[in-house]
Amino acid sequence: TWNKVFFGMKGGQGSGAGWTVTNSMVINYMSSHDNNTLWDKLILSAPNASEDVRNQMNNLGAAINLISKGTPFWQAGEEMLRTKDGDENSYKSSDAINNIDWSVLKEGSNEYNMMLYYQELIRIRKEYDIFRTLNTAVMANTSLGEGKVAITIDNHTGQKALVVANPTGEAMTYTPTGSWYMIINGETVMAGPEEVSGAITVPAYSAVILVSGSCLNG
């Protein structure tokens, strides 16, 4: 549920869990060396979905992970849709299962495009301070129904970010209040911030991420 996702995004802060962390002490991830790769998990959890839809699901999770409080982490190869053919405990499996297949990184392939997406997410995290200096930030989420949510981040220096996440199979519209600049539009990471006004469209299985003008210089 989004409550659990939001718990991780905030590093437990204000959650009633009895503990909080500073910026780097929480590790956020969708896949690690244990259990299935993310791609194999998506096949198991969404067996009837197309590869394109699973790519969108991967994009959504990656975007949330890279802007969350703490240290983002992923299994080697997650960024290129690594599969172990459903082997969730491969410590004794063959090299054919455990090796990373670099040959899939052919320009234009889904794996190559996902690698570029992760690369751009890393750039966004480095470029905008608000996604790294979250120790004093306030995060608030507003439910939009059906799992859709708008998350506001305010780091008390005048910088703000707005994340509108849509985990459903239908595009949605959302009208933010105030002046914002779009930096991520679903599977597209903008080359530069684009000012938006009025309603925005959030594609299916994706997130749109906006920042305030005060974020543009750091």
Side-chain angles (χ1 to χ4, degrees), residues 6-215:
F6 195 56
F7 176 89
M9 290 183 69
K10 295 174 66 177
Q13 189 176 42
S15 62
W19 54 267
T20 58
V21 297
T22 54
N23 282 336
S24 60
M25 290 176 63
V26 64
I27 308 298
N28 290 311
Y29 64 91
M30 296 186 292
S31 67
S32 68
H33 58 282
D34 291 321
N35 308 116
N36 285 300
T37 68
L38 176 59
W39 186 249
D40 290 345
K41 287 178 183 177
L42 289 173
I43 291 173
L44 288 171
S45 62
N48 298 321
S50 66
E51 285 197 8
D52 286 343
V53 167
R54 291 193 194 112
N55 284 334
Q56 292 171 316
M57 292 175 175
N58 196 128
N59 287 343
L60 172 59
I64 294 297
N65 192 20
L66 264 291
I67 57 90
S68 293
K69 178 178 180 178
T71 300
F73 164 86
W74 58 86
Q75 180 188 29
E78 177 186 301
E79 75 285 0
M80 48 192 277
L81 306 178
R82 182 182 181 184
T83 179
K84 292 186 181 180
D85 295 332
D87 190 337
E88 66 170 340
N89 193 19
S90 64
Y91 75 97
K92 61 179 180 180
S93 299
S94 67
D95 288 346
I97 292 294
N98 284 304
N99 282 347
I100 295 178
D101 182 7
W102 299 101
S103 69
V104 301
L105 291 179
K106 297 181 176 67
E107 189 169 353
S109 68
N110 287 337
E111 292 86 354
Y112 186 84
N113 290 336
M114 186 63 70
M115 178 270 294
L116 294 179
Y117 185 72
Y118 272 67
Q119 188 178 69
E120 286 297 283
L121 289 178
I122 293 169
R123 176 182 65 79
I124 288 293
R125 187 176 175 92
K126 289 180 176 180
E127 189 170 332
Y128 295 96
D129 290 345
I130 192 167
F131 300 126
R132 301 190 315 277
T133 56
L134 296 178
N135 201 37
T136 59
V138 172
M139 288 188 183
N141 68 327
T142 302
S143 174
L144 305 175
E146 300 180 283
K148 296 174 282 192
V149 65
I151 299 167
T152 303
I153 305 171
D154 185 341
N155 70 359
H156 300 301
T157 67
Q159 296 183 345
K160 293 184 179 181
L162 177 64
V163 182
V164 186
N166 176 18
T168 74
E170 299 291 334
M172 60 170 282
T173 58
Y174 180 79
T175 305
T177 301
S179 177
W180 296 95
Y181 291 82
M182 184 180 294
I183 58 173
I184 295 177
N185 184 12
E187 64 183 13
T188 302
V189 181
M190 321 299 285
E194 294 186 8
E195 190 170 8
V196 298
S197 61
I200 59 173
T201 298
V202 185
Y205 305 115
S206 74
V208 168
I209 301 180
L210 313 172
V211 295
S212 62
S214 55
C215 292

